[in-house]
């Protein structure tokens, strides 16, 4: 995510010459736009195949919505002092992992009851700025990005995904080719995915627009070189489908990268917004041939009180 409009306004999309390619919804069975509760600013989103789970940026609540009807309810109520950024579901046991932003924490909730199951301290804000932004369940480990520190946090799970004690958290300094841009408000490592071969992690640096392949054991990084020197500034959530990586950008578009080999790729498309449904996109989750994308409205709504927010369904059929 990138919650500061002044920073967002300074960044321009540097991927040029790509035609908008937002396909029509040819199924016609599910709502294209899902309305969230008034004042509910979304950031992270995940699903269980039938339901969407949307994390609230401002206070950490989680909204559950039926993908067939778009109707839903608050599953996890707002909890004072918490935030909700990236969210992922462990399908083995129904654990919802949520990145806690500036709190430096990560939270775990039950997908059925909404009960709070765990609270992990990843970084101490007293030691300097931190922003736990996104996460990935990779094998039997959960990895978290920190946009204000060149660090990955690793939470090894127990057998069958059972939750470990708080002492299990590990901090991995990112080394290698990763370019960290220091300074107040500079969002660096953000969205995280796995590589097509399932052997490593992919992280986007929002500030530079560069993608990196990161070793999950050592956090040694290699830049993924994009043809023509293309970059994807304000890149936020990442979604992998085969060898196509969808990069949700806060500049209201979704870059499509075809990954080639170990650390090369090409920007092959740019999904635009012909229907004016995108309003500062943040992250996405994929169900079949569709992405469900959150509209965080960071650019135009500093205070979410009384404001409307949505999740948009975008076809990627043919990508």
């Amino acid at each position: 995510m990138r919650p500061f409009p002044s920073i967002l306004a300074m960044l321009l999309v540097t991927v040029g010459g790509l035609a908008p390619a937002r396909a029509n919804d040819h199924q016609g069975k599910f709502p294209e736009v899902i309305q969230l509760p008034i004042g509910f600013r979304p950031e992270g989103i995940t699903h269980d195949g039938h339901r969407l789970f949307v994390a609230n940026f401002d206070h950490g609540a989680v909204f559950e919505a039926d993908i067939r009807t778009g109707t839903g309810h608050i599953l996890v109520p707002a909890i004072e002092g918490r935030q909700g950024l990236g969210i992922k579901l462990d399908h083995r046991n129904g654990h919802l992992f949520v990145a806690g932003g500036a709190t430096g924490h990560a939270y775990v909730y039950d997908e059925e009851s909404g009960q709070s199951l765990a609270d992990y301290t990843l970084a101490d804000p007293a030691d300097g700025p931190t922003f736990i932004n996104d996460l990935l369940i990779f094998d039997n480990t959960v990895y978290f990005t920190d946009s204000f520190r060149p660090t990955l946090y690793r939470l090894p799970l127990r057998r069958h995904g059972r939750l470990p004690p708080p002492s299990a958290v590990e901090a991995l300094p990112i080394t290698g080719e990763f370019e960290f841009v220091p300074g107040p408000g500079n969002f660096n490592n953000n969205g995280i995915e796995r590589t097509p071969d399932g052997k490593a992690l992919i992280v986007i640096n929002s500030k530079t627009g560069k993608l990196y392949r990161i070793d999950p054991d050592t956090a040694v990084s290699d830049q993924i070189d994009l043809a023509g020197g293309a970059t994807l500034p304000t890149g936020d959530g990442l979604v992998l489908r085969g060898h196509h990586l969808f990069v949700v950008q806060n500049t209201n578009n979704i870059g499509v990268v075809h990954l080639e080999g170990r650390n090369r790729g090409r920007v092959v498309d740019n999904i635009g917004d012909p229907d004016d449904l995108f309003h500062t996109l943040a992250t996405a989750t994929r169900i079949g041939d569709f992405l469900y994308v959150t509209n965080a409205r960071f650019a135009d709504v500093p205070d979410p009180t009384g404001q409307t927010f949505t999740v948009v369904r975008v076809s990627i059929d043919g990508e």
Side-chain angles (χ1 to χ4, degrees):
M1 63 71 52
R2 186 175 302 271
F4 303 107
S6 60
I7 299 173
L8 177 63
M10 294 169 58
L11 295 172
L12 299 176
V13 181
T14 60
V15 178
L18 297 175
R22 186 160 174 266
N24 292 325
D25 181 348
H26 58 78
Q27 291 187 5
K29 296 180 180 178
F30 303 103
E32 183 180 19
V33 177
I34 294 176
Q35 298 290 335
L36 299 172
I38 296 297
F40 190 102
R41 187 197 304 274
E43 213 281 341
I45 185 169
T46 191
H47 71 90
D48 67 358
H50 305 285
R51 297 172 294 175
L52 298 171
F53 301 94
V54 184
N56 180 281
F57 172 82
D58 300 286
H59 50 60
V62 176
F63 182 76
E64 174 189 323
D66 187 311
I67 64 169
R68 293 182 178 274
T69 65
T71 60
H73 64 277
I74 297 293
L75 175 68
V76 178
I79 299 176
E80 185 176 358
R82 294 194 177 187
Q83 281 187 284
L85 281 295
I87 181 172
K88 293 293 187 296
L89 173 66
D90 190 335
H91 295 267
R92 296 171 296 180
N93 45 38
H95 291 166
L96 286 165
F97 290 83
V98 179
T103 68
H105 287 231
Y107 310 107
V108 187
Y109 304 102
D110 180 84
E111 73 161 321
E112 298 299 338
S113 67
Q115 177 185 356
S116 182
L117 302 177
D119 179 350
Y120 293 100
T121 300
L122 306 182
D124 187 349
D127 296 332
T130 179
F131 201 87
I132 310 303
N133 207 328
D134 206 354
L135 66 135
L136 175 70
I137 302 173
F138 183 84
D139 294 333
N140 204 44
T141 304
V142 188
Y143 289 86
F144 298 86
T145 61
D146 189 332
S147 293
F148 291 167
R149 301 183 187 186
T151 305
L152 284 180
Y153 302 97
R154 181 167 62 186
L155 180 67
L157 302 175
R158 290 177 167 176
R159 190 176 182 183
H160 304 305
R162 289 186 296 116
L163 298 176
S167 60
V169 173
E170 305 171 51
L172 299 177
I174 302 175
T175 60
E177 296 182 352
F178 185 81
E179 178 187 357
F180 182 83
V181 183
N186 285 340
F187 282 78
N188 286 268
N189 44 325
N190 195 334
I192 183 170
E193 252 290 3
R194 66 180 63 230
T195 55
D197 62 13
K199 295 180 179 180
L201 310 172
I202 300 175
V203 169
I204 180 80
N205 184 310
S206 291
K207 180 64 177 178
T208 65
K210 296 178 181 179
L211 290 165
Y212 295 90
R213 178 187 176 106
I214 299 182
D215 186 287
D217 296 318
T218 64
V220 175
S221 65
D222 295 296
Q223 184 176 330
I224 297 174
D225 295 317
L226 300 182
T231 60
L232 298 155
T234 76
D236 200 329
L238 302 180
V239 176
L240 183 69
R241 184 194 194 200
H243 282 78
H244 282 100
L245 182 70
F246 296 85
V247 182
V248 180
Q249 296 175 255
N250 299 149
T251 39
N252 287 332
N253 57 289
I254 304 170
V256 185
V257 176
H258 184 263
L259 298 170
E260 304 168 339
R262 188 176 184 276
N263 57 353
R264 292 180 296 110
R266 293 177 294 115
V267 178
V268 295
D269 212 340
N270 181 54
I271 301 175
D273 182 22
D275 298 325
D276 194 28
L277 297 177
F278 294 173
H279 304 287
T280 316
L281 301 182
T283 65
T285 192
R286 181 176 72 86
I287 302 179
D289 292 334
F290 294 88
L291 294 180
Y292 286 82
V293 191
T294 57
N295 273 318
R297 299 188 67 187
F298 292 126
D300 65 305
V301 177
D303 181 0
T305 305
Q307 299 292 327
T308 59
F309 296 91
T310 59
V311 170
V312 179
R313 185 171 184 251
V314 179
S315 174
I316 55 172
D317 186 28
E319 296 292 350

